[in-house]
Amino acid sequence: MAKKLSRIFLLSKLWAVFLEGPTTGGYPFEPLQLPSGFRGKVVMNAHLCNGCGLCVQDCPASALKIERFDKQHFRIVYNPARCAYCGQCEISCHRGAIHLTNDFNPAVQHIGNLIEVLVERGLPKG
Amino acid sequence: MSRFTVPIGPQHPLLKEPLSFQLTLEGEEVVDSVIRLGYVHRGIERLSEKRTYIQNVHLVERVCGICSHVHTTTYCMGVESLAGVTVPVRGLYLRTFFCELERIHSHLLWLGVLAKNLGFDTVFMYAWRDREIVLDIMEELSGGRVSHAANVIGGVRVDINDSQRKTMTVSLKSLSQKITDLRNIVEHETNFHARTRDIGTLTAEQIRQYCIVGPIARASNVDVDMRRDVPYNLYEKFDFSVITRSEGDVWARTTLRIQEAQESIKICLQILDSLPPGAVAVRAKRRVPPGEVICRSEAPRGELLYYIQSDGSDRPARIKIRTPTLPSLAILPDLLRGINMADVSAVVSGVDLCIACVDR
Amino acid sequence: MSFKVLVFPGFGFLFCLAMLAEWIDRRMIARFQGRVGPPVFQPLADFIKLLGKEDLLPTGVNEKLMAALPLISLAACLTAGMYIPVAGVSVNNFEGDLIVVLFLLSLPSLLYFLAGWSSIGIYSILGGNRALLQFFSYEVPFLLALSGPAILNSSWNITDIMVNQSTSIWAIFVLPVGFMLAFFGLIGKLKRDPLDIPKAQSEIVAGPLTEFSGRKLAIWHLANQIQTVVGIFLLVDTYFGGGVIESRLATFLLFSFLALLILVSLSVMSAMYARLRIDQLARLGWKRLIPLSLLQIAFIVWMGKGF
């Protein structure tokens, strides 16, 4: 195993990288390229949902909750602060109602403001 | 000369994960060390008994932040063999593809951490820059950079189309070139040699005595590799060689890992070349018949073992995870005894600790 | 006098140059590593932000000493800057100012050790020990290397050394080895990569400066940056004749170019090497560099300084 040790081995490499220019980007000032399959915030096609509750049952982080008022009336509440963005709800949904968007930056002042109602069938107040 | 104790960790620039060393120094020489663990214990094994098999896929993915895919793969393999599900060939190919990408990613990450700890920031930046190629591929396929969530029980949920195959082949070939560059740096740079040669040397007897697995064992000429010894995921179909070295020092581990990354690229290219058509997953039942299974696989850091016991419900009765890093942690006090304080960083990063894996 | 102290070549001038030098250095290293690097106002922003941070000290330390150390270090570097001719303009000089400058430039290293020793933390003490060991390894070759041009030009006045060279020949052509030694010594003095042994991050956190924060840390950093500028100017003046040629503008340009060259070389060295171990440095210093620098002195004496 013949190895030539060199004290200036990296010099040419440094020069090549210098000429090549930086590979990092300036993200907050420049747009970020995300692949289409990126797993971000969960959204739901409310009219496709039949309230079977499989997504809620399979959610590993309990980010989805279902509140049933009676047989037809329910609502699904989503808490992005708990969400692990694993996409299990997307796999579990037989009706293709759920998918994950490219939105990865849901910053708010109060963490409670993140919680949103995805599906609402019937109101408890009535 | 008076002795004094230097605390390293749980928070210290040397450690990327919480772990505590109490080094007793005499001058600059380490005479004794005590290790404390448990700072990232999350009770995953117990937690997994409370969750369904489907939820556990995502739970075991979070055992480790670097080798996340191999954890889910091993877990899914176990559950599938209990449930009697046969995964489609295309699904297995894609699983292996992700496993190998993850190996490259883990080895490059490790090289960067070692270089950073040696004060060699340039190699750190280069290694992590090149690692981005792998992460981009995984992100494009699965939608996540490190938590891929690519596995489901019964297959995978990702698929490759033809245009992706072409671009990925090109970028993997360019990555191979870049890894060769990194290898040249490691082999030819004088200061890197000065800091890593004959440091933290382990003999084959020590490896066997402490049951050390993975790249550390292979760097000391102990020829173990689950991919070849217990073929799973169709590894027997691919042409790759298991690399061993005889030096057993930090430098040998470095070059060995870089060579392994290159072998992984070879496997990835073969997969992209010969990906069979078909489905990627089959639907599995929620309930798993009673039984127990032991599953082994080769994580980037060595042999990973899952023991799964089922009582016939939709939740496992017991899951036991044995991660490859624990034995290497056990040998650290031996390795640290009698070395220079400045070599602590090389030795500790040389064994590639994954504390999240160890604590679970 | 107050103009000299506060503006040129005193605090204001050196402060601006220090910020500029830090930016160029960081930017160059970033580019060598394939990164974008910080924008031009980043060093100033860092400095101002550090000034505004809370100033904490561990209990039991001598607070007055801890406050005085960075200030003395800064003062030493600034005073050294007063005697260094910039672009051929010499504001202050007297026979023997080279020795004073060398002494003032080695003060921060000793204060650095003292900072480690007097702040009680274990990392600081280890770092202080290492700083002192490193000091003995690089300081002797540095002093011997810089006395080369002085003996060559039969003067211990930096301005004289500079002016002499503009009429004869630059010292670097006669003593290339001496320049290498001085350059190496400068890296050690500034505690830059690959000789950042006393503040090796992955081993002893931040070395002697671990317990410093806020204003004190800002002043330590500023002192180090000003030391960088002064050290580079010293090398240009002694080994390149200060770049002095007939026209003032050409002198200015040549001087800037040479200073920039040395600064970029420092960045290249930082990017190119892994950190040495303290015993490796000591071995290198005492077995290679000090004999080399002694040989060089013997070489000058043998030449009979009849240049």
Side-chain angles (χ1 to χ4, degrees), chain B residues 292-314:
Chain B
E292 55 182 357
V293 68
I294 282 181
C295 248
R296 295 194 287 170
S297 66
E298 182 75 16
R301 287 173 183 73
E303 179 192 330
L304 175 70
L305 183 144
Y306 265 72
Y307 166 78
I308 304 168
Q309 192 182 22
S310 165
D311 55 4
S313 69
D314 63 346

mmCIF file with all atom_site columns, all heavy atoms in Angstrom, chain B residues 292-314:
data_model
loop_
_atom_site.group_PDB
_atom_site.id
_atom_site.type_symbol
_atom_site.label_atom_id
_atom_site.label_alt_id
_atom_site.label_comp_id
_atom_site.label_asym_id
_atom_site.label_entity_id
_atom_site.label_seq_id
_atom_site.pdbx_PDB_ins_code
_atom_site.Cartn_x
_atom_site.Cartn_y
_atom_site.Cartn_z
_atom_site.occupancy
_atom_site.B_iso_or_equiv
_atom_site.pdbx_formal_charge
_atom_site.auth_seq_id
_atom_site.auth_comp_id
_atom_site.auth_asym_id
_atom_site.auth_atom_id
_atom_site.pdbx_PDB_model_num
ATOM 1   N N   . GLU B 1 292 ? -43.373 -14.951 17.750 1.00 0.00 ? 292 GLU B N   1
ATOM 2   C CA  . GLU B 1 292 ? -42.257 -14.053 18.032 1.00 0.00 ? 292 GLU B CA  1
ATOM 3   C C   . GLU B 1 292 ? -41.211 -14.212 16.940 1.00 0.00 ? 292 GLU B C   1
ATOM 4   O O   . GLU B 1 292 ? -41.133 -15.252 16.281 1.00 0.00 ? 292 GLU B O   1
ATOM 5   C CB  . GLU B 1 292 ? -41.659 -14.331 19.411 1.00 0.00 ? 292 GLU B CB  1
ATOM 6   C CG  . GLU B 1 292 ? -41.220 -15.758 19.623 1.00 0.00 ? 292 GLU B CG  1
ATOM 7   C CD  . GLU B 1 292 ? -40.677 -15.991 21.014 1.00 0.00 ? 292 GLU B CD  1
ATOM 8   O OE1 . GLU B 1 292 ? -40.596 -15.025 21.785 1.00 0.00 ? 292 GLU B OE1 1
ATOM 9   O OE2 . GLU B 1 292 ? -40.320 -17.132 21.315 1.00 0.00 ? 292 GLU B OE2 1
ATOM 10  N N   . VAL B 1 293 ? -40.440 -13.159 16.747 1.00 0.00 ? 293 VAL B N   1
ATOM 11  C CA  . VAL B 1 293 ? -39.492 -13.179 15.648 1.00 0.00 ? 293 VAL B CA  1
ATOM 12  C C   . VAL B 1 293 ? -38.265 -12.350 16.018 1.00 0.00 ? 293 VAL B C   1
ATOM 13  O O   . VAL B 1 293 ? -38.351 -11.390 16.792 1.00 0.00 ? 293 VAL B O   1
ATOM 14  C CB  . VAL B 1 293 ? -40.145 -12.669 14.345 1.00 0.00 ? 293 VAL B CB  1
ATOM 15  C CG1 . VAL B 1 293 ? -40.449 -11.190 14.445 1.00 0.00 ? 293 VAL B CG1 1
ATOM 16  C CG2 . VAL B 1 293 ? -39.289 -12.945 13.137 1.00 0.00 ? 293 VAL B CG2 1
ATOM 17  N N   . ILE B 1 294 ? -37.134 -12.789 15.493 1.00 0.00 ? 294 ILE B N   1
ATOM 18  C CA  . ILE B 1 294 ? -35.910 -11.990 15.628 1.00 0.00 ? 294 ILE B CA  1
ATOM 19  C C   . ILE B 1 294 ? -35.454 -11.614 14.239 1.00 0.00 ? 294 ILE B C   1
ATOM 20  O O   . ILE B 1 294 ? -35.424 -12.455 13.342 1.00 0.00 ? 294 ILE B O   1
ATOM 21  C CB  . ILE B 1 294 ? -34.805 -12.776 16.369 1.00 0.00 ? 294 ILE B CB  1
ATOM 22  C CG1 . ILE B 1 294 ? -35.089 -12.768 17.866 1.00 0.00 ? 294 ILE B CG1 1
ATOM 23  C CG2 . ILE B 1 294 ? -33.451 -12.174 16.100 1.00 0.00 ? 294 ILE B CG2 1
ATOM 24  C CD1 . ILE B 1 294 ? -34.059 -13.486 18.670 1.00 0.00 ? 294 ILE B CD1 1
ATOM 25  N N   . CYS B 1 295 ? -35.158 -10.358 14.051 1.00 0.00 ? 295 CYS B N   1
ATOM 26  C CA  . CYS B 1 295 ? -34.770 -9.854  12.750 1.00 0.00 ? 295 CYS B CA  1
ATOM 27  C C   . CYS B 1 295 ? -33.437 -9.153  12.862 1.00 0.00 ? 295 CYS B C   1
ATOM 28  O O   . CYS B 1 295 ? -33.228 -8.388  13.788 1.00 0.00 ? 295 CYS B O   1
ATOM 29  C CB  . CYS B 1 295 ? -35.806 -8.836  12.304 1.00 0.00 ? 295 CYS B CB  1
ATOM 30  S SG  . CYS B 1 295 ? -36.707 -9.420  10.962 1.00 0.00 ? 295 CYS B SG  1
ATOM 31  N N   . ARG B 1 296 ? -32.559 -9.419  11.906 1.00 0.00 ? 296 ARG B N   1
ATOM 32  C CA  . ARG B 1 296 ? -31.267 -8.753  11.961 1.00 0.00 ? 296 ARG B CA  1
ATOM 33  C C   . ARG B 1 296 ? -30.991 -8.062  10.640 1.00 0.00 ? 296 ARG B C   1
ATOM 34  O O   . ARG B 1 296 ? -31.396 -8.521  9.581  1.00 0.00 ? 296 ARG B O   1
ATOM 35  C CB  . ARG B 1 296 ? -30.159 -9.766  12.231 1.00 0.00 ? 296 ARG B CB  1
ATOM 36  C CG  . ARG B 1 296 ? -30.289 -10.402 13.571 1.00 0.00 ? 296 ARG B CG  1
ATOM 37  C CD  . ARG B 1 296 ? -29.053 -11.113 13.957 1.00 0.00 ? 296 ARG B CD  1
ATOM 38  N NE  . ARG B 1 296 ? -28.861 -12.353 13.200 1.00 0.00 ? 296 ARG B NE  1
ATOM 39  C CZ  . ARG B 1 296 ? -27.734 -13.057 13.235 1.00 0.00 ? 296 ARG B CZ  1
ATOM 40  N NH1 . ARG B 1 296 ? -26.724 -12.638 13.964 1.00 0.00 ? 296 ARG B NH1 1
ATOM 41  N NH2 . ARG B 1 296 ? -27.618 -14.161 12.548 1.00 0.00 ? 296 ARG B NH2 1
ATOM 42  N N   . SER B 1 297 ? -30.309 -6.956  10.717 1.00 0.00 ? 297 SER B N   1
ATOM 43  C CA  . SER B 1 297 ? -29.936 -6.266  9.486  1.00 0.00 ? 297 SER B CA  1
ATOM 44  C C   . SER B 1 297 ? -28.657 -5.474  9.747  1.00 0.00 ? 297 SER B C   1
ATOM 45  O O   . SER B 1 297 ? -28.214 -5.358  10.885 1.00 0.00 ? 297 SER B O   1
ATOM 46  C CB  . SER B 1 297 ? -31.048 -5.328  9.038  1.00 0.00 ? 297 SER B CB  1
ATOM 47  O OG  . SER B 1 297 ? -31.176 -4.301  9.978  1.00 0.00 ? 297 SER B OG  1
ATOM 48  N N   . GLU B 1 298 ? -28.094 -4.961  8.670  1.00 0.00 ? 298 GLU B N   1
ATOM 49  C CA  . GLU B 1 298 ? -26.846 -4.221  8.794  1.00 0.00 ? 298 GLU B CA  1
ATOM 50  C C   . GLU B 1 298 ? -27.152 -2.732  8.723  1.00 0.00 ? 298 GLU B C   1
ATOM 51  O O   . GLU B 1 298 ? -27.381 -2.163  7.664  1.00 0.00 ? 298 GLU B O   1
ATOM 52  C CB  . GLU B 1 298 ? -25.882 -4.625  7.676  1.00 0.00 ? 298 GLU B CB  1
ATOM 53  C CG  . GLU B 1 298 ? -24.524 -3.963  7.726  1.00 0.00 ? 298 GLU B CG  1
ATOM 54  C CD  . GLU B 1 298 ? -23.605 -4.520  8.798  1.00 0.00 ? 298 GLU B CD  1
ATOM 55  O OE1 . GLU B 1 298 ? -23.889 -5.601  9.315  1.00 0.00 ? 298 GLU B OE1 1
ATOM 56  O OE2 . GLU B 1 298 ? -22.602 -3.844  9.106  1.00 0.00 ? 298 GLU B OE2 1
ATOM 57  N N   . ALA B 1 299 ? -27.172 -2.086  9.888  1.00 0.00 ? 299 ALA B N   1
ATOM 58  C CA  . ALA B 1 299 ? -27.328 -0.637  9.936  1.00 0.00 ? 299 ALA B CA  1
ATOM 59  C C   . ALA B 1 299 ? -25.993 -0.005  9.542  1.00 0.00 ? 299 ALA B C   1
ATOM 60  O O   . ALA B 1 299 ? -24.983 -0.711  9.479  1.00 0.00 ? 299 ALA B O   1
ATOM 61  C CB  . ALA B 1 299 ? -27.743 -0.217  11.336 1.00 0.00 ? 299 ALA B CB  1
ATOM 62  N N   . PRO B 1 300 ? -25.950 1.282   9.263  1.00 0.00 ? 300 PRO B N   1
ATOM 63  C CA  . PRO B 1 300 ? -24.653 1.896   8.937  1.00 0.00 ? 300 PRO B CA  1
ATOM 64  C C   . PRO B 1 300 ? -23.593 1.656   10.001 1.00 0.00 ? 300 PRO B C   1
ATOM 65  O O   . PRO B 1 300 ? -22.405 1.630   9.711  1.00 0.00 ? 300 PRO B O   1
ATOM 66  C CB  . PRO B 1 300 ? -24.995 3.385   8.835  1.00 0.00 ? 300 PRO B CB  1
ATOM 67  C CG  . PRO B 1 300 ? -26.412 3.421   8.451  1.00 0.00 ? 300 PRO B CG  1
ATOM 68  C CD  . PRO B 1 300 ? -27.059 2.221   9.071  1.00 0.00 ? 300 PRO B CD  1
ATOM 69  N N   . ARG B 1 301 ? -24.031 1.478   11.263 1.00 0.00 ? 301 ARG B N   1
ATOM 70  C CA  . ARG B 1 301 ? -23.045 1.299   12.328 1.00 0.00 ? 301 ARG B CA  1
ATOM 71  C C   . ARG B 1 301 ? -22.856 -0.161  12.711 1.00 0.00 ? 301 ARG B C   1
ATOM 72  O O   . ARG B 1 301 ? -22.142 -0.451  13.655 1.00 0.00 ? 301 ARG B O   1
ATOM 73  C CB  . ARG B 1 301 ? -23.463 2.091   13.547 1.00 0.00 ? 301 ARG B CB  1
ATOM 74  C CG  . ARG B 1 301 ? -23.275 3.556   13.351 1.00 0.00 ? 301 ARG B CG  1
ATOM 75  C CD  . ARG B 1 301 ? -23.860 4.330   14.494 1.00 0.00 ? 301 ARG B CD  1
ATOM 76  N NE  . ARG B 1 301 ? -23.720 5.737   14.229 1.00 0.00 ? 301 ARG B NE  1
ATOM 77  C CZ  . ARG B 1 301 ? -24.445 6.386   13.335 1.00 0.00 ? 301 ARG B CZ  1
ATOM 78  N NH1 . ARG B 1 301 ? -25.352 5.743   12.647 1.00 0.00 ? 301 ARG B NH1 1
ATOM 79  N NH2 . ARG B 1 301 ? -24.261 7.662   13.119 1.00 0.00 ? 301 ARG B NH2 1
ATOM 80  N N   . GLY B 1 302 ? -23.523 -1.084  12.038 1.00 0.00 ? 302 GLY B N   1
ATOM 81  C CA  . GLY B 1 302 ? -23.332 -2.486  12.351 1.00 0.00 ? 302 GLY B CA  1
ATOM 82  C C   . GLY B 1 302 ? -24.636 -3.216  12.507 1.00 0.00 ? 302 GLY B C   1
ATOM 83  O O   . GLY B 1 302 ? -25.686 -2.744  12.078 1.00 0.00 ? 302 GLY B O   1
ATOM 84  N N   . GLU B 1 303 ? -24.548 -4.369  13.158 1.00 0.00 ? 303 GLU B N   1
ATOM 85  C CA  . GLU B 1 303 ? -25.712 -5.240  13.207 1.00 0.00 ? 303 GLU B CA  1
ATOM 86  C C   . GLU B 1 303 ? -26.802 -4.663  14.095 1.00 0.00 ? 303 GLU B C   1
ATOM 87  O O   . GLU B 1 303 ? -26.573 -4.303  15.240 1.00 0.00 ? 303 GLU B O   1
ATOM 88  C CB  . GLU B 1 303 ? -25.282 -6.608  13.750 1.00 0.00 ? 303 GLU B CB  1
ATOM 89  C CG  . GLU B 1 303 ? -26.423 -7.570  13.865 1.00 0.00 ? 303 GLU B CG  1
ATOM 90  C CD  . GLU B 1 303 ? -26.017 -8.789  14.666 1.00 0.00 ? 303 GLU B CD  1
ATOM 91  O OE1 . GLU B 1 303 ? -24.835 -9.153  14.640 1.00 0.00 ? 303 GLU B OE1 1
ATOM 92  O OE2 . GLU B 1 303 ? -26.886 -9.370  15.331 1.00 0.00 ? 303 GLU B OE2 1
ATOM 93  N N   . LEU B 1 304 ? -28.019 -4.634  13.535 1.00 0.00 ? 304 LEU B N   1
ATOM 94  C CA  . LEU B 1 304 ? -29.172 -4.149  14.278 1.00 0.00 ? 304 LEU B CA  1
ATOM 95  C C   . LEU B 1 304 ? -30.110 -5.315  14.492 1.00 0.00 ? 304 LEU B C   1
ATOM 96  O O   . LEU B 1 304 ? -30.341 -6.100  13.576 1.00 0.00 ? 304 LEU B O   1
ATOM 97  C CB  . LEU B 1 304 ? -29.853 -3.052  13.471 1.00 0.00 ? 304 LEU B CB  1
ATOM 98  C CG  . LEU B 1 304 ? -31.149 -2.477  14.012 1.00 0.00 ? 304 LEU B CG  1
ATOM 99  C CD1 . LEU B 1 304 ? -30.846 -1.661  15.255 1.00 0.00 ? 304 LEU B CD1 1
ATOM 100 C CD2 . LEU B 1 304 ? -31.795 -1.598  12.976 1.00 0.00 ? 304 LEU B CD2 1
ATOM 101 N N   . LEU B 1 305 ? -30.628 -5.455  15.707 1.00 0.00 ? 305 LEU B N   1
ATOM 102 C CA  . LEU B 1 305 ? -31.464 -6.610  16.010 1.00 0.00 ? 305 LEU B CA  1
ATOM 103 C C   . LEU B 1 305 ? -32.799 -6.151  16.571 1.00 0.00 ? 305 LEU B C   1
ATOM 104 O O   . LEU B 1 305 ? -32.844 -5.283  17.429 1.00 0.00 ? 305 LEU B O   1
ATOM 105 C CB  . LEU B 1 305 ? -30.746 -7.505  17.022 1.00 0.00 ? 305 LEU B CB  1
ATOM 106 C CG  . LEU B 1 305 ? -31.432 -8.811  17.418 1.00 0.00 ? 305 LEU B CG  1
ATOM 107 C CD1 . LEU B 1 305 ? -30.378 -9.872  17.631 1.00 0.00 ? 305 LEU B CD1 1
ATOM 108 C CD2 . LEU B 1 305 ? -32.243 -8.665  18.672 1.00 0.00 ? 305 LEU B CD2 1
ATOM 109 N N   . TYR B 1 306 ? -33.882 -6.743  16.039 1.00 0.00 ? 306 TYR B N   1
ATOM 110 C CA  . TYR B 1 306 ? -35.213 -6.464  16.556 1.00 0.00 ? 306 TYR B CA  1
ATOM 111 C C   . TYR B 1 306 ? -35.829 -7.777  17.009 1.00 0.00 ? 306 TYR B C   1
ATOM 112 O O   . TYR B 1 306 ? -35.785 -8.765  16.290 1.00 0.00 ? 306 TYR B O   1
ATOM 113 C CB  . TYR B 1 306 ? -36.103 -5.858  15.457 1.00 0.00 ? 306 TYR B CB  1
ATOM 114 C CG  . TYR B 1 306 ? -36.137 -4.368  15.470 1.00 0.00 ? 306 TYR B CG  1
ATOM 115 C CD1 . TYR B 1 306 ? -35.025 -3.648  15.064 1.00 0.00 ? 306 TYR B CD1 1
ATOM 116 C CD2 . TYR B 1 306 ? -37.264 -3.683  15.883 1.00 0.00 ? 306 TYR B CD2 1
ATOM 117 C CE1 . TYR B 1 306 ? -35.039 -2.276  15.075 1.00 0.00 ? 306 TYR B CE1 1
ATOM 118 C CE2 . TYR B 1 306 ? -37.288 -2.310  15.893 1.00 0.00 ? 306 TYR B CE2 1
ATOM 119 C CZ  . TYR B 1 306 ? -36.172 -1.603  15.490 1.00 0.00 ? 306 TYR B CZ  1
ATOM 120 O OH  . TYR B 1 306 ? -36.186 -0.243  15.503 1.00 0.00 ? 306 TYR B OH  1
ATOM 121 N N   . TYR B 1 307 ? -36.377 -7.747  18.191 1.00 0.00 ? 307 TYR B N   1
ATOM 122 C CA  . TYR B 1 307 ? -37.154 -8.894  18.659 1.00 0.00 ? 307 TYR B CA  1
ATOM 123 C C   . TYR B 1 307 ? -38.589 -8.421  18.814 1.00 0.00 ? 307 TYR B C   1
ATOM 124 O O   . TYR B 1 307 ? -38.848 -7.434  19.510 1.00 0.00 ? 307 TYR B O   1
ATOM 125 C CB  . TYR B 1 307 ? -36.597 -9.403  19.991 1.00 0.00 ? 307 TYR B CB  1
ATOM 126 C CG  . TYR B 1 307 ? -37.528 -10.361 20.697 1.00 0.00 ? 307 TYR B CG  1
ATOM 127 C CD1 . TYR B 1 307 ? -37.624 -11.676 20.280 1.00 0.00 ? 307 TYR B CD1 1
ATOM 128 C CD2 . TYR B 1 307 ? -38.302 -9.938  21.765 1.00 0.00 ? 307 TYR B CD2 1
ATOM 129 C CE1 . TYR B 1 307 ? -38.487 -12.547 20.909 1.00 0.00 ? 307 TYR B CE1 1
ATOM 130 C CE2 . TYR B 1 307 ? -39.167 -10.804 22.406 1.00 0.00 ? 307 TYR B CE2 1
ATOM 131 C CZ  . TYR B 1 307 ? -39.257 -12.112 21.971 1.00 0.00 ? 307 TYR B CZ  1
ATOM 132 O OH  . TYR B 1 307 ? -40.111 -12.971 22.598 1.00 0.00 ? 307 TYR B OH  1
ATOM 133 N N   . ILE B 1 308 ? -39.512 -9.073  18.134 1.00 0.00 ? 308 ILE B N   1
ATOM 134 C CA  . ILE B 1 308 ? -40.916 -8.654  18.194 1.00 0.00 ? 308 ILE B CA  1
ATOM 135 C C   . ILE B 1 308 ? -41.749 -9.827  18.654 1.00 0.00 ? 308 ILE B C   1
ATOM 136 O O   . ILE B 1 308 ? -41.610 -10.945 18.144 1.00 0.00 ? 308 ILE B O   1
ATOM 137 C CB  . ILE B 1 308 ? -41.413 -8.171  16.816 1.00 0.00 ? 308 ILE B CB  1
ATOM 138 C CG1 . ILE B 1 308 ? -40.511 -7.048  16.308 1.00 0.00 ? 308 ILE B CG1 1
ATOM 139 C CG2 . ILE B 1 308 ? -42.842 -7.672  16.911 1.00 0.00 ? 308 ILE B CG2 1
ATOM 140 C CD1 . ILE B 1 308 ? -40.748 -6.715  14.874 1.00 0.00 ? 308 ILE B CD1 1
ATOM 141 N N   . GLN B 1 309 ? -42.579 -9.576  19.663 1.00 0.00 ? 309 GLN B N   1
ATOM 142 C CA  . GLN B 1 309 ? -43.458 -10.618 20.166 1.00 0.00 ? 309 GLN B CA  1
ATOM 143 C C   . GLN B 1 309 ? -44.888 -10.137 19.960 1.00 0.00 ? 309 GLN B C   1
ATOM 144 O O   . GLN B 1 309 ? -45.222 -9.003  20.288 1.00 0.00 ? 309 GLN B O   1
ATOM 145 C CB  . GLN B 1 309 ? -43.184 -10.842 21.649 1.00 0.00 ? 309 GLN B CB  1
ATOM 146 C CG  . GLN B 1 309 ? -43.835 -12.082 22.168 1.00 0.00 ? 309 GLN B CG  1
ATOM 147 C CD  . GLN B 1 309 ? -43.586 -12.240 23.661 1.00 0.00 ? 309 GLN B CD  1
ATOM 148 O OE1 . GLN B 1 309 ? -43.299 -11.266 24.350 1.00 0.00 ? 309 GLN B OE1 1
ATOM 149 N NE2 . GLN B 1 309 ? -43.697 -13.450 24.152 1.00 0.00 ? 309 GLN B NE2 1
ATOM 150 N N   . SER B 1 310 ? -45.707 -11.023 19.410 1.00 0.00 ? 310 SER B N   1
ATOM 151 C CA  . SER B 1 310 ? -47.087 -10.639 19.128 1.00 0.00 ? 310 SER B CA  1
ATOM 152 C C   . SER B 1 310 ? -48.031 -11.537 19.896 1.00 0.00 ? 310 SER B C   1
ATOM 153 O O   . SER B 1 310 ? -47.778 -12.731 20.062 1.00 0.00 ? 310 SER B O   1
ATOM 154 C CB  . SER B 1 310 ? -47.344 -10.760 17.626 1.00 0.00 ? 310 SER B CB  1
ATOM 155 O OG  . SER B 1 310 ? -48.730 -10.733 17.376 1.00 0.00 ? 310 SER B OG  1
ATOM 156 N N   . ASP B 1 311 ? -49.128 -10.952 20.406 1.00 0.00 ? 311 ASP B N   1
ATOM 157 C CA  . ASP B 1 311 ? -50.122 -11.772 21.099 1.00 0.00 ? 311 ASP B CA  1
ATOM 158 C C   . ASP B 1 311 ? -51.416 -11.850 20.301 1.00 0.00 ? 311 ASP B C   1
ATOM 159 O O   . ASP B 1 311 ? -52.464 -12.178 20.842 1.00 0.00 ? 311 ASP B O   1
ATOM 160 C CB  . ASP B 1 311 ? -50.369 -11.237 22.516 1.00 0.00 ? 311 ASP B CB  1
ATOM 161 C CG  . ASP B 1 311 ? -50.763 -9.779  22.495 1.00 0.00 ? 311 ASP B CG  1
ATOM 162 O OD1 . ASP B 1 311 ? -50.904 -9.219  21.382 1.00 0.00 ? 311 ASP B OD1 1
ATOM 163 O OD2 . ASP B 1 311 ? -50.924 -9.182  23.576 1.00 0.00 ? 311 ASP B OD2 1
ATOM 164 N N   . GLY B 1 312 ? -51.389 -11.529 19.048 1.00 0.00 ? 312 GLY B N   1
ATOM 165 C CA  . GLY B 1 312 ? -52.562 -11.682 18.212 1.00 0.00 ? 312 GLY B CA  1
ATOM 166 C C   . GLY B 1 312 ? -53.409 -10.432 18.091 1.00 0.00 ? 312 GLY B C   1
ATOM 167 O O   . GLY B 1 312 ? -54.353 -10.405 17.314 1.00 0.00 ? 312 GLY B O   1
ATOM 168 N N   . SER B 1 313 ? -53.083 -9.386  18.837 1.00 0.00 ? 313 SER B N   1
ATOM 169 C CA  . SER B 1 313 ? -53.860 -8.160  18.733 1.00 0.00 ? 313 SER B CA  1
ATOM 170 C C   . SER B 1 313 ? -53.222 -7.239  17.686 1.00 0.00 ? 313 SER B C   1
ATOM 171 O O   . SER B 1 313 ? -52.338 -7.648  16.951 1.00 0.00 ? 313 SER B O   1
ATOM 172 C CB  . SER B 1 313 ? -53.912 -7.467  20.093 1.00 0.00 ? 313 SER B CB  1
ATOM 173 O OG  . SER B 1 313 ? -52.635 -6.972  20.400 1.00 0.00 ? 313 SER B OG  1
ATOM 174 N N   . ASP B 1 314 ? -53.686 -5.986  17.638 1.00 0.00 ? 314 ASP B N   1
ATOM 175 C CA  . ASP B 1 314 ? -53.081 -5.062  16.688 1.00 0.00 ? 314 ASP B CA  1
ATOM 176 C C   . ASP B 1 314 ? -51.929 -4.283  17.317 1.00 0.00 ? 314 ASP B C   1
ATOM 177 O O   . ASP B 1 314 ? -51.434 -3.341  16.750 1.00 0.00 ? 314 ASP B O   1
ATOM 178 C CB  . ASP B 1 314 ? -54.151 -4.124  16.115 1.00 0.00 ? 314 ASP B CB  1
ATOM 179 C CG  . ASP B 1 314 ? -54.770 -3.266  17.196 1.00 0.00 ? 314 ASP B CG  1
ATOM 180 O OD1 . ASP B 1 314 ? -54.562 -3.593  18.382 1.00 0.00 ? 314 ASP B OD1 1
ATOM 181 O OD2 . ASP B 1 314 ? -55.446 -2.285  16.854 1.00 0.00 ? 314 ASP B OD2 1
#
